[in-house]
Amino acid sequence: MKLEEIRAAESRLLLSTYDRNPILFVGGQGVHLVDENGTKYLDLLSGIGVNALGYGHPAIVDTIARQSPALIHISNLYYHQGQAELAMRLTERTGMDRVFFANSGTEAMEGAMKLARAYAGLRRSEGATIGTKFLALEQSFHGRTFGAVSATHKEKYREPFAPVVPGVEFVRFNDVADLRAKFSNEVCAILVEAIQGEGGIRPLTQEFFAEARALASSTGALLIVDEIQAGMGRTGKWCAYQHYGIQPDVTTLAKPLAGGLPLGAVLCTEEAARAIHAGMHGSTFGGGPLACAVAVAVIDTIEKEGLLEHATEVGDYFQAQLRALAKRHEAIVYVRGKGLMIAAELESAELAKLTVAEMLKRHILINNTSDTVLRFLPPYILERAHVDAAIAALDEIFTQHAWAHAGTSTAGGHKHG
């Protein structure tokens, strides 16, 4: 089917959940996607942070070819070779003790929130005073299922499905005083992203993160760190919380975990794991043989090819080039990020939207989030030459268009970063 045929069919058959760009991709190699006409696009979004090794990587292709004839799926009523092997790699690299495998990030967050409620119940049965409330952060994004969306801050995600799950209160981002004021022994868990993704690539401060850890420890509440977008090496470490030297009780992984196949994970301490016994939680597809085999291959390839160090080096270069660009264009008011999780905040939402569209015309894929933020989540195999191509395109766009948006700033604040 051609693009127009597919668009017509989807308009009749699918729920209207996505506002798609009118491009039909049919293949990909390395950091490039290829459309139906053979045009190559530089992908600086990697399927929204999923395709860590890019497209057509031999480690993934060969693993699928080897594993798929053997076993693709068996139920979790039986053993297969992949889960223990993957769990061992994940626990060793995250400092956690135990793992539960799900299908996606939002399911991992559901599992983490259920674990927190179950652990609080266990502690109450042992005589502790601890409630059922969650604290989450303003501008947070944790997923689309009921529990996860209830802990997601923006009204546009929650309001259409109200009433959402009760018992969530939002803390002002990086506001230590607000965190202290809202924390009590009624809280069973504090939910944070070490670096907010959908919220605009915003890192926690060391002070705020440390206070969240200390408050949770003071009552036996759990500190849950959502690493779905920042984790699995994107920031140059396996988890973004490792940049802070702070260890959570629970963390969640997904997006790049299985290199493009659906897989999520809840990781927790031995202490938190006491709350779960057989039958309390489960997943039909979570942790299947194929997804686990590919995830093992992704982890081993990241290490073999030195991609944690590479993400740091190329990410630092990317940010430096964006900051140099900001000196030439007042349209950029802030550059921030870590590794290959990078944001350039612009002076207006209108300009951010236009920039994404203009980059697409130049066959470069990015997106914008939090209205004014250009988000870059490229594959870990990105090279400096690809960065240079993106910077040149942005330079051209701002030269041509930014003047028209002068004085319409909605980003707030002065140029820094």
Side-chain angles (χ1 to χ4, degrees):
M1 297 174 72
K2 297 295 184 180
L3 175 60
E4 290 309 313
E5 295 174 304
I6 290 173
R7 293 180 72 183
E10 287 197 358
S11 70
R12 296 194 312 270
L13 300 170
L14 300 188
L15 283 178
S16 299
T17 51
Y18 302 110
D19 185 14
R20 301 193 203 274
N21 290 291
I23 305 170
L24 174 59
F25 286 119
V26 298
Q29 190 63 45
V31 297
H32 292 93
L33 280 166
V34 181
D35 72 12
E36 61 178 334
N37 301 312
T39 302
K40 292 172 62 176
Y41 290 73
L42 174 60
D43 184 7
L44 300 183
L45 195 57
S46 64
I48 314 183
V50 170
N51 298 308
L53 302 184
Y55 300 93
H57 196 289
I60 293 177
V61 173
D62 293 347
T63 300
I64 292 174
R66 182 179 66 253
Q67 180 63 43
S68 57
L71 278 177
I72 293 176
H73 171 78
I74 62 169
S75 80
N76 281 308
L77 299 176
Y78 309 100
Y79 292 97
H80 66 79
Q81 293 177 319
Q83 287 198 11
E85 189 176 359
L86 177 55
M88 187 176 301
R89 281 166 171 77
L90 292 176
T91 54
E92 287 174 350
R93 286 155 183 81
T94 63
M96 294 297 184
D97 299 316
R98 292 184 179 267
V99 185
F100 170 81
F101 292 112
N103 304 292
S104 65
T106 192
E107 289 174 78
M109 284 307 301
E110 292 289 314
M113 293 175 74
K114 288 173 71 176
L115 174 59
R117 287 271 176 90
Y119 181 71
L122 173 65
R123 296 289 288 118
R124 286 193 296 275
S125 74
E126 296 171 341
T129 302
I130 188 167
T132 60
K133 182 179 176 180
F134 293 99
L135 292 184
L137 301 189
E138 291 185 356
Q139 307 310 316
S140 62
F141 182 90
H142 294 295
R144 306 277 190 171
T145 47
F146 257 111
V149 83
S150 302
T152 291
H153 179 251
K154 289 185 179 178
E155 286 285 344
K156 70 176 184 178
Y157 296 119
R158 292 184 288 120
E159 191 275 332
F161 311 106
V164 294
V165 177
V168 180
E169 186 173 8
F170 293 100
V171 175
R172 288 191 294 273
F173 184 69
N174 278 337
D175 189 327
V176 173
D178 196 45
L179 175 64
R180 288 173 180 157
K182 290 173 179 172
F183 185 82
S184 70
N185 59 11
E186 290 300 312
V187 173
C188 69
I190 303 173
L191 279 64
V192 301
E193 300 157 86
I195 303 175
Q196 290 189 334
E198 295 293 326
I201 318 298
R202 301 178 194 276
L204 292 182
T205 62
Q206 184 73 36
E207 181 187 13
F208 186 93
F209 206 171
E211 186 66 13
R213 174 67 280 174
L215 288 171
S217 298
S218 72
T219 64
L222 299 183
L223 177 62
I224 301 175
V225 180
D226 178 341
E227 292 277 344
I228 290 162
Q229 190 166 135
M232 287 303 297
R234 176 155 296 283
T235 67
K237 291 186 180 291
W238 287 110
C239 290
Y241 63 73
Q242 292 169 330
H243 291 287
Y244 296 81
I246 291 172
Q247 188 70 18
D249 302 296
V250 182
T251 192
T252 54
L253 300 171
K255 287 185 180 294
L257 179 55
L261 295 183
L263 185 64
V266 183
L267 291 87
C268 68
T269 62
E270 195 72 50
E271 171 62 20
R274 291 195 305 120
I276 297 293
H277 59 72
M280 284 182 70
H281 192 51
S283 171
T284 296
F285 292 104
L290 183 62
C292 284
V294 172
V296 167
V298 168
I299 292 170
D300 290 352
T301 300
I302 289 172
E303 292 189 331
K304 181 181 177 181
E305 297 186 0
L307 293 180
L308 294 182
E309 297 80 6
H310 184 75
T312 298
E313 188 271 325
V314 177
D316 287 348
Y317 178 74
F318 204 154
Q319 284 200 56
Q321 297 306 108
L322 284 170
R323 290 192 175 100
L325 191 65
K327 292 179 180 179
R328 301 196 298 275
H329 298 285
E330 293 186 356
I332 302 175
V333 298
Y334 208 126
V335 174
R336 57 181 174 264
K338 198 76 174 175
L340 289 173
M341 187 176 184
I342 299 171
E345 186 164 357
L346 304 188
E347 61 185 356
S348 75
E350 184 183 0
L351 179 59
K353 185 176 181 180
L354 180 145
T355 301
V356 172
E358 288 294 319
M359 289 288 274
L360 186 61
K361 291 178 183 177
R362 291 161 175 79
H363 306 137
I364 301 175
L365 306 179
I366 64 171
N367 81 336
N368 70 296
T369 186
S370 270
D371 296 328
T372 59
V373 176
L374 302 182
R375 177 169 57 172
F376 306 93
L377 300 171
Y380 303 174
I381 59 174
L382 191 78
E383 299 290 348
R384 287 187 174 210
H386 304 127
V387 175
D388 293 341
I391 295 297
L394 289 168
D395 192 11
E396 182 179 83
I397 291 164
F398 294 142
T399 299
Q400 292 177 0
H401 297 283
W403 65 270
H405 299 272
T408 61
S409 175
T410 58
H414 58 280
K415 182 187 292 290
H416 55 135

